[in-house]
Amino acid sequence: MSDERLNRLAKAAGLSIDWVDADGRDQRVSPDVLRAVLGGLGLAADSETDVETSLEKLDAINGTSHLPPLLTLDQGAPLELKQYFEPGTAYSLTLEDGPDHQGTLDDQARLAAIHTPGYHHLEIGGQHLTLAVAPHACPSVEDVAGPSAWGLTVQLYGLRRPGDGGLGDTLALETLVRSAAAQGADALGISPIHAMFTGNSRQYSPYSPSSRLFYNILHSAPEAILGDTPLRIAIESCGLAEELERLEQLELIDWDAVSRTRQCLLRALYDDFVTGGNAQRADFESFREAGGEALENHCRFEALHASLLSAEGYPQHWRDWPEQYRKPQSPAVEQFAQEHAEDISYHAFCQWLIARGLERAQTAARSAGMKIGLISDLAVGADGGGSQAWSRQDEVLAALSVGAPPDIINRQGQSWGISAFSPWGLKTHGYRAFIEMVRANLAHAGGMRIDHVMGLMRLWVMPSGAGPMEGAYLNYPFDDLLRLLSLEAWRRNAVILGEDLGTVPEGLREKLADRGLLGMRVLFFERDHQGTFKPPSHYPRSAITTSTTHDLPTISGWWQAHDIDWRIRVGQHQEQERPGQLEERERERAGLLRLLHEYTPEVDGDLAAPEVLADACSAFIGQTPAPLVLLPVEDALCLLEQPNLPGTTDTHPNWRRRYPGDSATLLDDAACARRLKILANARKQTIGNNHR
């Protein structure tokens, strides 16, 4: 088979054959890897005949005469339709919130500019489609929160409160947002709260969810919605008082035990709810009706996933279910839903509780004075064996895994074991899955962080089970996705952040900035070509600034080289590498000290002391011209350990660490309160200097 035909198929499928790595070196995907990735896309490429058949398949999908159900365009710009219609073709345009407009395409077959953002209906040439008209940019932080905005980020699961049963929940979140607002914070970024697998408690990474459309029910605080009495009765009926107390005292989350206890309580609460004539029943029914097909499918999946176990009694991938249950629209699934109506209703009840709890938390944040409030976190993909992949099979690439090639952060590359959207599946279905996902994650938040935002432009994909170097970049309809993001953010008056760390494609940051979508700059990474830390004035205005992320060491951990110890302990580096790494870290420490001595002279104390260093780093990031500065709670408290160590599973306690105090008073510690005041003052002073 000729490489030319294979390459033509790869390009038609949206794969990049040539790419540039994080070190600026040109790379080319091998033919064997291309064939494997194409196979994962459902495009056979093992022979000349396979390639021709796959090319015909793509031509049928992407044909220029095929009018998609949704087109995106910019506010105030004409829409060229000459590939579909002749000049002078008559049309009828119905605005989302306005009257019909009649007209004809101009002599270049263009639709007249539309000046109102929204989802508008176009009838033309006997065909119907939606026009998603996007504003020029997402709402800016300055428009939403003013010129000196700052906030915190927190791992929701790690919060504590009396009676939480060993896991952070929405009531703990409520108390924290009030405390943060009292310190002057405008925003609180939270870890992902996507729906997990209630039938598989061993899978708890918030970045490997079952669905990004719904929520992790374990984070609900039922008493906030139903009252204390039903919960107390449920605890007694389940006999869980001692177990809940034990779980609360643990330093690390026992996800398996927490899942068992919480689901027992939730089921008891549901049974009481549906038999007791609860006054909130109407609200629950309204919530369920509003959730529509998407919610129904998710709840059906949950019930099926718990029922269709393997021969050994374990939950399994939906592709391994009996064939009649593998499609959500099948008669067998409909019959199952009728026979297990109460189970499905129970899962809807759990979603109702967590959604209402998040709604309360955002209301508390705004009422306490936060201009933005919660910033949700959108994971880059979902598990291919989960609810979203099952429900949206034509729009998700369940046979490919998403990851990253080797880069500056992870020299071995990464395979995240999650699936992403199909580019042509999205187009074919009018971007339904993408739009509903964005709406779900902005429903109870004033902003959204997009993990690995490069995924809007391209994703590194590999066949399931393959290593990170056996992949290729799959390109996405970047402009369409940016327009849809801008439109949804505009409708919610929400700010959008994008984690743009790693191998960043050329032009991505500029396009994000044009759309008002903020990138991210991390203190430890911001250095020039000589490795010298950059001064505050060299930070861009088009990105937020932060001290660290959940995948990186804390300020204290970095300073004490604790991350080096961990990487050697888990086998990512060898013991003989320690001296060289410590020598390099010592040079980095000296460079950071020089920077902080120059730009944070007002900070008292020895900068070599971790607590003082955290003060100085807070002052420094506060001086950057970023429209929003976010300080992780780990650094606000000067904690040693980081939440996650990429590339590990059981050898490091990822996603299990709990914070060292009650969320209501967590930020009241004298050192923490001082640090937040330093940050707030730095923000005010910087904004004042910028406006002179």
Side-chain angles (χ1 to χ4, degrees), residues 130-283:
T130 298
L131 298 181
V133 179
H136 298 298
C138 302
S140 71
V141 169
E142 186 158 341
D143 287 343
V144 175
S148 58
W150 67 273
L152 298 164
T153 63
V154 69
Q155 303 299 309
L156 173 59
Y157 57 81
L159 294 176
R160 293 180 184 266
R161 68 171 179 86
D164 64 22
L167 186 71
D169 61 20
T170 58
L171 263 183
L173 184 60
E174 277 190 50
T175 59
L176 183 68
V177 296
R178 292 191 183 98
S179 177
Q183 302 274 5
D186 284 308
L188 182 71
I190 60 175
S191 51
I193 46 176
H194 304 314
M196 304 304 292
F197 296 82
T198 55
N200 184 7
S201 58
R202 292 181 296 277
Q203 188 165 336
Y204 50 80
S205 166
Y207 291 95
S208 299
S210 173
S211 175
R212 295 178 290 172
L213 297 179
F214 300 100
Y215 306 116
N216 186 341
I217 64 171
L218 301 183
H219 292 309
S220 68
E223 62 269 49
I225 310 302
L226 303 173
D228 293 328
T229 300
L231 180 62
R232 186 172 64 251
I233 294 172
I235 291 172
E236 292 174 359
S237 67
C238 292
L240 288 175
E242 290 186 8
E243 175 68 350
L244 292 171
E245 177 65 24
R246 180 188 75 82
L247 292 173
E248 279 187 45
Q249 303 308 314
L250 298 178
E251 289 189 14
L252 296 176
I253 296 165
D254 183 340
W255 282 99
D256 190 50
V258 164
S259 181
R260 284 197 311 271
T261 57
R262 293 218 170 182
Q263 290 193 64
C264 179
L265 292 175
L266 287 168
R267 192 68 198 222
L269 287 165
Y270 172 74
D271 291 342
D272 175 69
F273 183 81
V274 297
T275 59
N278 195 293
Q280 294 171 296
R281 187 66 183 266
D283 184 57

Side-chain angles (χ1 to χ4, degrees), residues 564-607:
I564 294 175
D565 294 338
W566 262 115
R567 291 190 183 280
I568 292 173
R569 187 187 310 180
V570 303
Q572 292 183 348
H573 297 294
Q574 302 303 311
E575 180 62 41
Q576 57 265 32
E577 297 178 77
R578 186 192 298 271
Q581 292 181 353
L582 290 178
E583 183 179 340
E584 174 63 21
R585 182 58 54 86
E586 186 55 40
R587 285 195 293 269
E588 293 173 331
R589 285 170 29 141
L592 182 63
L593 284 182
R594 286 194 296 271
L595 181 82
L596 297 178
H597 276 301
E598 180 175 357
Y599 289 100
T600 63
E602 71 280 5
V603 174
D604 295 328
D606 180 6
L607 290 181

Side-chain angles (χ1 to χ4, degrees), residues 6 90 159 273 415 436 487 524 562 587 589 617 662:
L6 179 65
L159 294 176
F273 183 81
S415 177
E436 65 183 0
L487 176 54
F524 297 133
H562 193 57
R587 285 195 293 269
R589 285 170 29 141
C617 288
D662 187 338

Side-chain angles (χ1 to χ4, degrees), residues 307-328:
S307 299
L308 303 178
L309 304 178
S310 68
E312 295 76 25
Y314 295 110
Q316 54 185 346
H317 197 294
W318 55 266
R319 290 189 185 275
D320 296 323
W321 292 351
E323 188 170 355
Q324 65 266 33
Y325 298 114
R326 295 178 196 168
K327 295 280 188 181

